[in-house]
Structure formats: C-alpha cells, structure tokens
Amino acid sequence: MRLRVEFTTEPFDLDEAPAHALVAREVIEAVDLDAVDVGPFGNTAVGGADTVLTAVDALLRKTLEAGATRISLQVNVVEEGGR
C-alpha cells in the first residue's frame, strides 16, 4: 500500500522558518520516500505505508519537541504509481 501524507506545522513565521518547520523538513528529507514536496504553507510526501507511517511518527514527536503548537495532518491511500 502507498500513502500520501500532507502536513503543516504551526505557528507560522513569515520572516524566518521556525525551528519546528526546519525539523519537519529534515525528518521528511531523511526518509526514503518516492516523492517529497516541501513548501512554506504545506508539505507532501508519498511512499510505502511502513515508511510513511514511520516518518509521521518521527515528524510528530520531533516537531512537537522543536516547538510546534499545532500539526495538521492528512493521510490518504494512493493508487500504485499515483502521486
């Protein structure tokens, strides 16, 4: 099974990326995912279910530790080859 996770971390800072946003990027980019799109207002990653779920666990734990006060998260099952 393949999953797509979309997430944002808050609070936002339009002048400088907060520590929790940098940590989120590090977590997602360190995992072997099929596709990653990191942006200022939302992030998306696609990969196998085990990989995505492990990344989500690390993402939640590490971004909260880095000061995130809210994490919005959506996980969808995607068709094989879909992004």
Side-chain angles (χ1 to χ4, degrees), residues 20-68:
H20 57 80
L22 298 175
V23 167
R25 176 179 287 187
E26 290 171 8
V27 168
I28 290 301
E29 290 180 344
V31 180
D32 185 24
L33 295 163
D34 300 334
V36 174
D37 182 19
V38 177
F41 299 107
N43 309 284
T44 304
V46 178
D50 288 339
T51 303
V52 170
L53 294 174
T54 299
V56 166
D57 178 62
L59 174 82
L60 292 171
R61 292 175 189 278
K62 292 182 178 184
T63 57
L64 289 169
E65 289 171 2

